[in-house]
Amino acid sequence: ADGIVCVSEGLKHEMVNYFGIRRVPVYVIYNFYNLVDINRMAEEVLSTHEQSFLANPVLAMSGRLAIEKGNEFILHVFAAFK
C-alpha cells in the first residue's frame, strides 16, 4: 500500500504501535459530518409525536456493532438506568 487511512488518532496509534506499520505513511481522516445540515435540522420544529418522545430523558448510542466497540458494556449501563 502507498498509505493507510484511519478514522481517528487512536486507530493510527494502534496501526503504528500495535501492528508495527512503519513502511508506509498512516493518515487520519475523521468521519465526515455535514455540520451545516446538522445545525439546520436542529432548528426545525419537532412534531407533536417527536416532542412526546423527548418528554423524558433519552439515552442513545451510535456506532457499529463490533466486539472492540464494547457495546455489551453500554447495554449494562442502559439496563442499570432502566
Side-chain angles (χ1 to χ4, degrees):
D2 294 325
I4 296 174
V5 176
C6 299
V7 296
S8 71
E9 289 293 334
L11 288 175
K12 177 181 177 179
H13 178 79
E14 284 185 25
M15 290 291 165
V16 173
N17 297 304
Y18 182 75
F19 293 106
I21 305 296
R22 293 189 182 13
R23 292 185 186 176
V24 298
V26 180
Y27 304 99
V28 175
I29 299 177
Y30 296 96
N31 287 330
F32 178 77
Y33 298 98
N34 188 328
L35 296 179
V36 172
D37 283 347
I38 291 170
N39 286 325
R40 179 186 48 76
M41 288 186 283
E43 298 297 322
E44 292 179 3
V45 177
L46 298 177
S47 70
T48 303
H49 176 70
E50 291 166 330
Q51 290 176 14
S52 68
F53 177 75
L54 297 173
N56 296 305
V58 174
L59 288 175
M61 75 168 261
S62 175
R64 63 187 169 92
L65 296 176
I67 192 85
E68 64 269 16
K69 295 293 184 179
N71 294 305
E72 68 179 281
F73 302 109
I74 197 69
L75 293 175
H76 292 293
V77 170
F78 284 0
F81 276 110
K82 183 180 175 190

